[in-house]
Amino acid sequence: MSTRSPATAAPSNDPPEQTRTGMSKAALKQAYIDNLFYIQGRFRDVASTYDLYMAAAFTARDRMLERWVESAQVYKTSHARTLCYLSAEYLLGPQLTQNLVNLGIAKVARAAAEELSVDFNAILEEEVEPGLGSGGLGRLAACYLDSLATQRIPAIGYGIRYEFGIFDQVIQDGWQVERSDNWLRNGNPWELPRPKISFAVRYGGHTEQTRDQEGRSRVRWVPEMVIKGVAYDTPILGYGVRNANLLRLWKSEAPESFDFQTFNVGDYYGAVHAKIEAETISKVLYPNDEPEAGKELRLKQQYFFVSCSMQDMIRLHRNTVGPLETIHQKFVVQLNDTHPALAIAELMRLLVDEQAMTWEQAWSITRQTFCYTNHTLLPEALETWSLALFERLLPRHLEIIYAINQEFLDQVRVRFLGDEARIARMSLIDETHGRRIRMAHLAVVGSRAVNGVAALHSKLIKTTIFKDFHELAPERFHTVTNGVTPRRFMVVSNPRLARLITATCGHDRWIGDLEYLRDLETHADDPVLQARWRQVKIAAKRDLACWLDHHTGVPIDPEAMFDIQAKRLHEYKRQHLKVLHIIRLYQRLKQDPSVSMVPRAFIFGGKAAPGYVMAKLMIKLINAVGEVINRDPQVNGYLRVAFMPNFNVKNGQRLYPAADLSEQISLAGKEASGTGNMKFSMNGALTIGTDDGANIEIREAVGAENFFLFGMTAEEVQRKQAEGYRPWALYQGDAELKSDIDLISSGLFSHGDPHLFRPLTDHLIHADPFMVLADYRAYLECQERVTEAYAQPRRWDRMSILNVARMGRFSSDRAIREYAERIWQIEPVVLDS
Ligand SMILES: *Cc1c(COP(=O)(O)O)cnc(C)c1O
């Protein structure tokens, strides 16, 4: 494991003239002033806080480049097997502190800034995060980049450099309003443009059969449009190692800034239009839970980044070892969900059409190159593309997919004689919903390994969506439970806790190997540690309360229990179940003001997809309930409700450290893994959760007695649904449930308007696809147990310490080691010096 501790690695007495590499305080101070002057053109006394942030960023970046070049050289000369991680999303979060931590100079950099009278916290607030993802999937990709470098796995992350990332959410009158995220407005200090690394990407047109000089039949694709993808590179540093990997994001451009031929014949505006069309492709991120929006552009985006990445991979292979026949030995491609699954068809096209390889050899190579991670079982989230659209944009790829499908189905026919229903189910083409291409089937057929993201999820994919594929080739199915990086979600976001852990354990090895957190276990009952533990928590709660007061106007008492649900708004995640709980407590207090109650602050955060009406109504409901409760002096000493606007990585870093209780209450079987659950628990929150996703494994790890489990299991859910689920009967049969829902319908939370929330309440009573009503009673009872435990601080502190102590397994370092060993067969590359 990690051999060097960056906390002690910084040399303290290198000469200050080493302003681009020196790690001493003197060198950092000089570098800071130099960067401010020579890059920003600013003197210290006129610099804005943003200028100061940029100077700090460039100071950090200079120090990363040396390791980056060194890594690239060693990877190249050692012919290291390399991972290509393909993901349409990377939700990186702020970079500065993360990079300083991984460089091992977080403390000294802060001290240097402060000696220059720079308010370091203020410059950190200036940083805008690249919101190139919409939620868990994009954040997972970012955690994996950190762990790949930390585990010394040679890797390139490929994706799209969206000009506008996930929208910024503001709350107006309780409703979500979207604002475009112009994150590149003031420049991005972390990236290096690589104008020389660019590839042509083609769309549309038709194909032609031709023969080459040797008389072999070949296909020529005559496209209708050609654009260019240009590389922008961001270095990704590992922690405690010298390895630095590469995140390469593609920006779309017109092949030439102006098409002069068109210009000369007078179609000047036509030429400009073509340029605009090309640039549109990497313009904006579509949230992955927005099914109907921008269909065609989304397919164009997927092909765009996949084509650039596969061409780049072939170029890199040529530059190093050479013969294309060995490319699968040099590279493994990991598909983060089906968004990049087109890479399978694209690699086939490049090998067969452009490199004149035989189909058989190309397929053998392709099949050995790809691995695919499935992230969801929700049917509406399984990607399909209409054949008509696909044929119009990618005519050659459609032919390739047909050929792959034919060969594949022939195998199935031989294996399962005469089972035509099975053939139809397994085909890459869905003929039942108006002819659509099933991207998940393409991904499975083209990959040598398929994995789910938690034990339950991996089991379910084998019995549901991929049942037939599992019967055909069970050895290809794997499971790797997700993880999160403790650097960002503990060290960067919760420095007080990190210091306390280091002091208690007597070392900081846990940062590079999270299993060392176990050293905390023997101290779980130590009253001194418990008191400090509580101080750390209350300090984080005070910070959050202050931020919330400033941004929402809701004052929160830091002594209250912070009960937090922060994640994308989605019916399956059941924010409305949480709301019903709040309404129940509210009614209880109103009916009997003398009832004793542990004061709770309910804090929500999360964005709704712009077109997801029900999710947006849930945000309005949360704010509406909050408005009534927060204003009611009879209850607001016990209950507070706040909605944190614009939940993103930066704001998440304020939430996770401050939580007492983490809400992970999805309907069992619906949350593939969850990673928010891990971040909360690592920061000492206790979890109330269903038997779903990684909750199951977290509960196993921390101990059932340190976890609040409630609700139906996935099996019970399936059984109930098969029997015929009738929410109406539950509503009629439980007086409290009925009165909670009726209170919403009464108009109390909508200024007397009984219609506003009707779509939500009607849906719950009459359909309730995510079985909120079925779990309501169990949830309330479990919350009683939470209250009881919270009323015993020493017991609670012990549980909290044990939660942290036993979270080692949920480090993304562990996940990456499992991928590397079981799926990729990639060895770490150690850089000495
Ligand atoms: C971790 C994270 C998520 C995922 O949260 P879940 O609770 O697993 O859905 C989503 N968004 C952001 C900004 C995150 O940091």
Side-chain angles (χ1 to χ4, degrees), residues 1 81 83 147-148 151-154 332 334 371 448-449 478-480 812-828:
M1 263 316 305
R81 188 161 154 86
L83 175 75
S147 285
L148 282 161
Q151 296 303 307
R152 304 174 160 118
I153 304 292
V332 186
Q334 181 66 48
C371 307
R448 66 185 167 84
H478 300 257
T479 182
V480 180
S812 43
D813 295 341
R814 183 272 314 151
I816 287 300
R817 284 197 302 272
E818 288 183 6
Y819 276 105
E821 286 162 22
R822 298 193 211 149
I823 295 182
W824 304 330
Q825 283 89 45
I826 299 186
E827 298 284 329

Side-chain angles (χ1 to χ4, degrees), residues 596-611:
S596 93
M597 204 176 268
V598 169
R600 287 208 202 202
F602 300 97
I603 300 163
F604 292 84
K607 293 174 184 174

Side-chain angles (χ1 to χ4, degrees), residues 91 134-136 139 489 566-568 572-573 647-649 652 656 664 671 673-677 679:
L91 196 50
S134 44
R139 185 51 236 176
F489 290 107
K567 47 183 74 242
R568 290 301 298 256
Y572 86 80
K573 292 176 182 280
F647 176 57
N648 55 11
V649 178
Y656 299 116
Q664 307 299 334
E671 187 74 86
S673 162
T675 48
N677 46 6
K679 300 173 205 163

Side-chain angles (χ1 to χ4, degrees), residues 339-522:
H339 318 132
L342 268 173
I344 292 166
E346 175 66 354
L347 185 60
M348 284 301 286
R349 186 188 71 81
L350 292 167
L351 295 179
V352 174
D353 294 358
E354 305 213 338
Q355 308 290 339
M357 198 180 271
T358 65
W359 177 274
E360 291 68 29
Q361 185 167 27
W363 183 240
S364 156
I365 287 171
T366 299
R367 275 289 319 278
Q368 293 177 75
T369 302
F370 287 93
C371 307
Y372 156 57
T373 303
N374 173 276
H375 284 271
T376 179
L377 296 161
L378 296 179
E380 67 272 22
L382 287 174
E383 270 195 310
T384 62
W385 292 109
S386 101
L387 217 87
L389 169 63
F390 202 96
E391 182 165 30
R392 186 155 52 75
L393 281 185
L394 302 165
R396 178 58 183 142
H397 296 79
L398 184 61
E399 292 173 0
I400 290 171
I401 287 172
Y402 277 148
I404 293 172
N405 197 35
Q406 190 165 55
E407 213 170 280
F408 169 65
L409 293 181
D410 281 345
Q411 276 176 28
V412 179
R413 273 193 195 92
V414 171
R415 181 67 195 280
F416 301 95
L417 288 178
D419 191 348
E420 282 305 314
R422 182 184 295 262
I423 305 283
R425 287 198 308 267
M426 296 182 82
S427 173
L428 305 197
I429 315 292
D430 180 356
E431 310 272 356
T432 56
H433 298 87
R435 305 208 77 198
R436 303 183 69 83
I437 302 184
R438 295 162 162 158
M439 299 306 278
H441 291 202
L442 174 62
V444 173
V445 170
S447 297
R448 66 185 167 84
V450 177
N451 76 283
V453 289
L456 173 69
H457 172 66
S458 302
K459 192 179 107 188
L460 289 174
I461 62 175
K462 291 192 278 194
T463 52
T464 59
I465 51 171
F466 299 144
K467 182 167 188 285
D468 296 313
F469 294 91
H470 180 250
E471 282 169 16
L472 187 69
E475 72 286 351
R476 298 225 309 260
F477 285 79
H478 300 257
T479 182
V480 180
T481 299
N482 286 165
V484 301
T485 169
R487 270 74 66 186
R488 179 174 296 277
F489 290 107
M490 299 183 77
V491 180
V492 171
S493 59
N494 201 347
R496 296 184 191 97
L497 183 67
R499 277 196 298 270
L500 179 57
I501 293 172
T502 297
T504 307
C505 297
H507 62 75
D508 65 1
R509 286 193 294 278
W510 60 273
I511 301 170
D513 183 349
L514 208 61
E515 289 292 343
Y516 277 112
L517 285 177
R518 290 227 178 254
D519 293 358
L520 286 171
E521 266 194 40
T522 51

Side-chain angles (χ1 to χ4, degrees), residues 567-609:
K567 47 183 74 242
R568 290 301 298 256
L569 263 289
H570 212 295
E571 287 165 279
Y572 86 80
K573 292 176 182 280
R574 304 201 293 191
Q575 279 91 355
H576 37 6
L577 177 56
K578 176 84 250 157
V579 173
L580 290 179
H581 173 227
I582 297 171
I583 293 176
R584 178 91 309 267
L585 295 180
Y586 175 62
Q587 299 223 70
R588 217 175 269 168
L589 267 174
K590 291 300 273 187
Q591 280 149 14
D592 178 6
S594 70
V595 70
S596 93
M597 204 176 268
V598 169
R600 287 208 202 202
F602 300 97
I603 300 163
F604 292 84
K607 293 174 184 174

